[in-house]
Every structure is written in C-alpha cells, then in structure tokens.
Amino acid sequence: MDYKKSCALMWVLYLAGAVLLAPPLLMGAGKGWMAAAFLVMAAGYFQTVFFLNCPRCGCNWVRRRDVPRIPRRCPNCGEFIW
C-alpha cells in the first residue's frame, strides 16, 4: 500500500470511528459502541504506522517525532512527495 492510500484509509477509519462514537455520547447507548469506535480508530492509526512511508527511502513518517503531518518533502532523503 502506498502512502496516499494509507493516508486516505486513516481518515476514513477515523471518521467511521467518530460516527460509531456518536450513539453512546448522544443517546447513552452501551459501552460496546465505544469499544467498537476505539477499535476502528486504533486500526486506522496502526495501519498508518506500518504503511505511511516514503516511496523512495522507506522512512516512516509516523514513527518520527519531528514530522507533525505528511511532509511535502521526505525529511530523511529529500524526495518531493506532494
């Protein structure tokens, strides 16, 4: 999976987790909804940890603490990304 698909999947899973989180917060539904929302959001984060890499050097942008978002250039090799 390339970095563009990984980033899109992360945002889709975060949004799905937020939608699953709405019933427990608004209507007082069971804790199962909260657990499902947490698992969906965690899946989005963990797939990003494994697949959000530079296409040239393979540097992972999530594990680096100095990269707050997807960079325009890879901080490791300087490859233009966007």
Side-chain angles (χ1 to χ4, degrees):
M1 178 182 311
D2 66 343
Y3 67 94
K4 290 180 184 179
K5 290 178 187 173
S6 177
C7 185
L9 183 60
M10 175 192 67
W11 285 111
V12 166
L13 289 175
Y14 283 176
L15 181 63
V19 168
L20 285 174
L21 195 59
L25 293 177
L26 297 177
M27 296 180 293
K31 300 221 187 262
W33 286 97
M34 286 185 150
F38 175 75
L39 288 175
V40 168
M41 288 181 173
Y45 175 75
F46 285 117
Q47 72 82 21
T48 306
V49 168
F50 292 115
F51 295 114
L52 193 62
N53 300 324
C54 175
R56 181 176 174 195
C57 69
C59 174
N60 188 292
W61 297 321
V62 176
R63 292 181 185 157
R64 287 184 63 130
R65 298 291 180 187
D66 61 338
V67 180
R69 57 182 166 72
I70 298 177
R72 294 198 180 272
R73 293 192 176 271
C74 176
N76 194 33
C77 67
E79 169 85 13
F80 182 71
I81 303 299
W82 291 102

